[in-house]
Amino acid sequence: MIGPLLPLTLAAAAQPQPNAIDAREAEPRLIVVFAPSRDDPRLVRQQALLRQSQASMGDRDVHVIEVVGDTVAGAHEYAAALRQRYAVPRSRFGVVLVGRDGGVKLRSAEAIVPRQIERTIDAMPMRRREMAAR
């Protein structure tokens, strides 16, 4: 039975595999908002700013994750793991923009205005390629 499957296995192995860059381009950019509590005024402001800029964030393929206290919305990860990964203590507010490559592109201890996020993303090489391809 192995004999007839060998050509299929070899043919499948010979198929071009997506490279790591293609895989990264399929990932959304992330805005991770950290707050110690729901009533943190910086969280409320950041949420309002992001609501106002939904269209531009959607155009730039941005996904928002909120880490408030020990609760995470927008991802299936533990709050402590995200706080550790992006170095934001539980008692602090922070906003982190993560590129498709997984690298931190922008970090702030205050709410970030959408225009700053847009300029940062638009300067990224992957975003420039996306805009050129349109």
Side-chain angles (χ1 to χ4, degrees):
M1 187 70 92
I2 291 177
L5 294 179
L6 188 57
L8 293 175
T9 304
L10 293 175
Q15 294 297 314
Q17 300 297 315
N19 64 35
I21 291 175
D22 292 338
R24 282 194 307 243
E25 288 178 359
E27 293 294 318
R29 295 173 180 94
L30 302 175
I31 294 178
V32 188
V33 182
F34 296 90
S37 67
R38 279 261 160 242
D39 59 351
D40 188 300
R42 296 163 296 187
L43 172 64
V44 173
R45 184 168 195 279
Q46 188 67 69
Q47 289 170 327
L49 289 168
L50 291 171
R51 271 193 306 274
Q52 294 169 4
S53 62
Q54 279 182 326
S56 68
M57 293 300 121
D59 182 53
R60 288 165 178 81
D61 195 22
V62 174
H63 178 77
V64 178
I65 298 171
E66 287 185 359
V67 181
V68 180
D70 293 326
T71 304
V72 177
H76 296 289
E77 291 199 48
Y78 291 107
L82 289 168
R83 288 182 182 287
Q84 182 177 6
R85 181 179 311 146
Y86 297 113
V88 179
R90 189 182 191 290
S91 62
R92 299 256 172 92
F93 177 86
V95 181
V96 179
L97 171 63
V98 181
R100 291 188 193 277
D101 63 358
V104 173
K105 308 302 181 187
L106 182 63
R107 175 185 295 276
S108 178
E110 296 298 325
I112 302 176
V113 296
R115 188 69 195 127
Q116 184 178 7
I117 295 168
E118 293 163 4
R119 282 194 304 259
T120 302
I121 291 171
D122 291 349
M124 295 177 187
M126 281 189 207
R127 174 66 177 161
R128 289 181 181 253
R129 284 194 303 271
E130 291 168 10
M131 290 187 301
R134 288 184 178 184

